[in-house]
Amino acid sequence: MNEKILVTRSSMPDFDEYCNEIKGLWESHWLTNMGEKHMQLQKALEDTLGVSHVTLYTNGHLALENIIAAMDLPEHGEVITTPFTFASTTHSIVRNGLEPVFCDINATDYTIDTDLIENLITDKTCAIVPVHVYGNLCDVEKIQKIADKYDLKVIYDAAHAFGVTYKGVNAACFGYASMFSFHATKVFNTIEGGAICYSDDSLVQKLNDMKNFGIHSPEEVIYAGGNAKMNEFQAAMGICNLRHLDDEIEKRRRVTEHYRSRLENVSGITLCRPQADVKQNYAYFPAVFDEKLFGATRDEVCQALADNNINARKYFYPLTNTFDCFKGKYDAGKTPVALHISKRVLTLPLYADLSTESVDRICDVILGLKKAD
Ligand code: T4K
């Protein structure tokens, strides 16, 4: 049997580089709670992303939950979002006592369909949470226009978009705030981790207090906050990985280009096109299979890959508005494009060190299922 290929593989610095970075922790015995490494990574990210403020978290999900909580939105307020995403996006809204209102995605880059947003706005709408899915940027200009017109704040789920820029501006700079995930599976990882990026100075102390039980000072607890702090070992991993970010993205670009050279123009397979004015991060490689034209369903492709020891994933199936935990609450028929894509999409293995031979092995299995045109 050929070597197993997983959908992704964490990029890690050299062992010695990481050991060197954490050595000081044995001397200081300071392991968490806004330590030296945490502050160093925060500053490095503010500089790299060109954003006024970065607040670090132990994971991306709690970052998103925290920023939504920090906005003091009205109880049961409606938040416009998309269902073609990871569980975290929808759950962060629901867990804040808010009501997700699902907007469909567009069929080109799978981000929110901006033509449909205004129709969903009611007097209860209090925010918009769009997703830069796969690292494809939402139409940030149009979304901001709508947000300004209705006086709504936009929080981007930018979990996939670290390193992406639009017209030279980093994804961290759009909307009221953006959340990045630094999970092990991401382009940039801190083992687990995440961040909120924003420009509103009044949020800095609030988010820092909220991620630390709401403790403002030893004798003042001003929010019923949880614990979402990034620790020193996570921050040290981030400091190391940040040094290699350009190399990471370049290697991913090469893998992506090789996939494209094998799968582009195959009838029945749709690939995402590079977006205008966007510098990509090559976070994921989604392929959408049309059974009629291709000759096999997405599930058949996924199974054939599995039979060959290749682990592709159905990101994002099922849609969040069809999750068991929301049974009977939402109608996925109202987001038909998302439903259509979620039943046909497969994200193929992608990571910096995925070899050309491995990409060929994956493409050979896929193309072996292709019916004659
Ligand atoms: N918003 C969006 C749009 C997101 O996609 C996510 C997370 C979030 C918010 C929340 O951010 P975080 O709270 O996670 O920071 C994975 C990730 O756990 C998750 O971070 C990610 N999105 C989601 C799309 O993918 P799973 O359940 O598919 O992960 P798992 O354990 O099956 O891992 C996938 C593959 O990654 C494995 O087959 C091998 C590789 N892997 C995994 C781990 C855990 C590694 O190489 N190293 C590792 O340590 O969710």
Side-chain angles (χ1 to χ4, degrees), residues 104-282:
D104 209 352
I105 57 172
N106 69 66
T108 311
D109 58 28
Y110 317 134
T111 63
I112 194 163
D113 184 338
T114 49
D115 289 337
L116 304 177
I117 296 177
E118 286 197 79
N119 276 345
L120 296 173
I121 294 176
T122 70
D123 55 4
K124 283 188 172 167
T125 306
C126 57
I128 309 177
V129 178
V131 184
H132 297 310
V133 68
Y134 304 135
N136 291 340
L137 278 202
C138 301
D139 185 341
V140 290
E141 286 165 356
K142 185 136 182 231
I143 292 171
Q144 198 54 52
K145 263 192 202 135
I146 297 169
D148 291 345
K149 182 171 166 190
Y150 293 92
D151 195 20
L152 297 169
K153 287 203 169 91
V154 183
I155 306 294
Y156 283 104
D157 181 332
H160 301 175
F162 192 82
V164 177
T165 65
Y166 173 63
K167 294 183 179 167
V169 179
N170 196 281
C173 303
F174 300 113
Y176 180 62
S178 293
M179 177 280 287
F180 291 102
S181 164
F182 304 151
H183 184 263
T185 52
K186 298 294 185 285
V187 169
F188 166 73
N189 85 76
T190 60
I191 307 172
E192 291 248 15
I196 297 297
C197 300
Y198 53 97
S199 57
D200 181 349
D201 300 338
S202 75
L203 270 181
V204 180
Q205 190 64 50
K206 189 169 189 183
L207 290 179
N208 281 332
D209 290 349
M210 286 179 75
K211 74 176 185 183
N212 185 31
F213 310 100
I215 298 173
H216 185 63
S217 71
E219 297 186 10
E220 282 173 295
V221 181
I222 58 175
Y223 307 108
N227 178 1
K229 300 178 302 279
M230 175 180 278
N231 71 49
E232 291 291 274
F233 291 85
Q234 292 172 290
M237 185 64 119
I239 290 166
C240 294
N241 281 336
L242 201 53
R243 291 186 192 117
H244 306 287
L245 181 66
D246 291 345
D247 189 41
E248 168 77 20
I249 293 179
E250 172 55 20
K251 285 175 162 177
R252 286 172 168 270
R253 186 189 67 76
R254 281 188 226 144
V255 176
T256 301
E257 289 309 320
H258 194 56
Y259 266 126
R260 284 196 170 279
S261 73
R262 296 287 317 266
L263 300 178
E264 209 153 38
N265 305 321
V266 175
S267 71
I269 300 182
T270 304
L271 307 178
C272 281
R273 274 195 229 114
Q275 299 174 293
D277 300 318
V278 171
K279 182 177 147 285
Q280 297 172 258
N281 67 353
Y282 310 97

Side-chain angles (χ1 to χ4, degrees), residues 24-35:
L25 303 179
W26 263 260
E27 283 144 31
S28 69
H29 290 250
W30 191 278
L31 306 185
T32 186
N33 289 13
M34 317 278 276

